């Protein structure tokens, strides 16, 4: 008996090319910088001179965003004169996607021309002296699901996309980080350096888990970012990671909730927007593209 024919999914490289082709039909803008806007931080895209706004559902092989506070669209345009591609809303492992799916847009951003990725998130602060609304420049990460076998680069490696065994010792660009610190000081934003621990979620952590994370040397905890950064580094992009401390996640703190995470983003919106704009202005003055 004849087997029913399976719809064939093209390999990753082909899927990236098809997504790029569809986006280029909407705009010929060549972005230099990719921006991923985390929970509560999407408003930044409102200030863009937009060339194209593409709902994720219209881009081949993009997943769809399902979380409140995460708009699902890719926006291309200029922000303070810098050509950017912005993910307004991202994909999370806890939504049920594979890590390859959650990181697919990063591949597409790079294939569109972005050489630098600025990735933002809301995170729980593990340090008792930190305050809601502080920023943390990510200097390093702990990929806990990765240590348990959930890794975005698991599976065959396509050398056109990057090496089989990419280094992660220098995942977060020191020069970009120093620039972010200098600009945050100009604006009066409190910015710390710290280690981001990635957990799968979607439940928030128990007090015992928070104690464990503190012992591991983590300064903030969240449910995103690390897979995206790994994929960006696999492809050779420069990365700046910024966490907005949306709640204090120490073992004796009150329980975290999604509403306070979104509210914290709303509260620092003006300064956060100012910081990113200054960063972009500086980057477009100093880098080609
Ligand atoms: N834990 C995990 N993820 C988070 C938190 C938290 O406290 N806050 C924002 N994202």
């Amino acid at each position: 008996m004849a087997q029913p024919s399976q719809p064939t999914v093209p390999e990753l490289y082909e899927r990236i090319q098809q997504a790029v082709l569809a986006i280029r039909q909407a705009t010929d803008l060549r972005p230099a910088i990719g921006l991923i806007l985390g929970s509560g931080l999407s408003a930044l895209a409102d200030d863009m001179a937009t060339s194209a706004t593409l709902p994720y559902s219209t881009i081949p092989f993009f997943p769809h965003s399902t979380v409140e506070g995460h708009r699902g669209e890719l926006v291309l345009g200029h922000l303070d004169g810098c050509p950017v591609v912005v993910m307004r809303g991202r994909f999370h492992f806890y939504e049920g996607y594979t890590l390859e799916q959650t990181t697919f847009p990063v591949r597409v951003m790079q294939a569109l021309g972005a050489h630098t990725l600025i990735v933002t998130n809301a995170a729980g602060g593990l340090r008792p002296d930190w305050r809601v609304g502080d920023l943390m420049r990510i200097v390093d990460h702990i990929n806990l699901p990765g240590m348990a076998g959930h890794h975005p680069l698991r599976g065959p490696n396509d050398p056109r996309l990057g090496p089989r065994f990419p280094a992660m010792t220098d995942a977060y660009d020191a020069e970009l980080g120093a620039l972010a610190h200098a600009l945050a000081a100009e604006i009066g934003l409190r910015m710390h350096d710290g280690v981001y621990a990635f957990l799968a979620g979607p439940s928030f952590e128990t007090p015992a888990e928070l104690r464990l994370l503190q012992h591991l040397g983590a300064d903030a905890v969240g449910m995103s970012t690390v897979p995206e950064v790994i994929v960006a580094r696999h492809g050779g992009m420069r990365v700046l990671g910024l966490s907005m401390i949306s709640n204090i996640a120490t073992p004796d703190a009150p329980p975290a909730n999604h509403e306070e995470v979104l509210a914290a983003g709303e509260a620092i919106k003006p300064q956060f927007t100012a910081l990113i704009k200054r960063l972009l202005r500086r980057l477009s003055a100093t880098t080609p593209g």
Side-chain angles (χ1 to χ4, degrees):
M1 215 168 77
Q3 295 290 319
S5 63
Q6 296 280 335
T8 50
V9 180
E11 62 179 308
L12 178 58
Y13 189 83
E14 272 311 309
R15 280 180 270 147
I16 297 165
Q17 302 313 315
Q18 287 189 34
V20 166
L21 211 64
I23 295 163
R24 290 226 167 115
Q25 273 163 12
T27 173
D28 58 6
L29 182 123
R30 300 285 157 126
I33 311 248
L35 253 165
I36 302 180
L37 301 179
S39 302
L41 302 172
S42 287
L44 184 62
D46 295 344
D47 291 8
M48 278 172 69
T50 305
S51 302
T53 300
L54 295 105
Y56 292 150
S57 56
T58 66
I59 308 173
F61 305 111
F62 258 57
H64 308 218
S65 190
T66 64
V67 188
E68 190 193 332
H70 295 265
R71 292 257 294 265
E73 54 198 25
L74 194 72
V75 189
L76 290 98
H78 288 84
L79 193 54
D80 260 44
C82 184
V84 292
V85 51
V86 178
M87 278 187 81
R88 201 172 166 138
R90 58 146 63 84
F91 305 105
H92 303 85
F93 189 48
Y94 63 74
E95 293 175 85
Y97 305 116
T98 64
L99 289 173
E100 188 182 279
Q101 287 176 306
T102 68
T103 56
F104 182 72
V106 176
R107 301 278 190 202
V108 172
M109 286 174 154
Q110 186 180 21
L112 285 166
H115 51 68
T116 298
L117 180 69
I118 301 177
V119 56
T120 68
N121 61 51
L126 293 161
R127 301 276 290 259
D129 54 327
W130 288 7
R131 298 195 292 254
V132 169
D134 286 357
L135 292 184
M136 182 185 90
R137 199 275 281 198
I138 306 177
V139 293
D140 204 347
H141 70 224
I142 302 175
N143 181 9
L144 285 159
M147 291 175 182
H150 294 290
H151 195 285
L153 304 180
R154 184 169 180 271
N157 185 62
D158 187 334
R160 289 173 294 185
L161 299 176
R164 171 73 291 186
F165 300 110
M168 286 294 143
T169 40
D170 57 352
Y172 299 89
D173 191 272
E175 204 181 315
L176 282 179
L179 178 60
H181 266 287
L183 298 177
E186 279 178 27
I187 297 167
L189 269 168
R190 253 170 57 116
M191 186 183 282
H192 313 280
D193 274 349
V195 174
Y196 178 92
F198 166 50
L199 268 68
S203 55
F204 288 111
E205 301 71 34
T206 65
E209 287 166 344
L210 294 172
R211 223 171 285 121
L212 172 78
L213 293 170
Q214 289 176 328
H215 280 297
L216 290 177
D219 300 298
V221 55
M223 305 174 193
S224 68
T225 302
V226 165
E228 296 152 353
V229 170
I230 290 171
V231 163
R233 294 299 296 148
H234 183 241
M237 297 176 87
R238 287 174 93 193
V239 172
L240 173 68
L242 296 176
S243 291
M244 185 252 318
I245 303 301
S246 59
N247 54 292
I248 299 305
T250 51
D252 55 354
N257 65 74
H258 191 53
E259 288 65 39
E260 73 180 331
V261 170
L262 298 183
E266 188 63 29
I268 69 155
K269 196 160 79 182
Q271 296 107 303
F272 184 76
T273 303
L275 174 67
I276 299 292
K277 284 184 175 179
R278 280 178 195 221
L279 263 167
L280 292 176
R281 216 174 302 148
R282 201 66 84 79
L283 286 175
S284 44
T286 55
T287 50

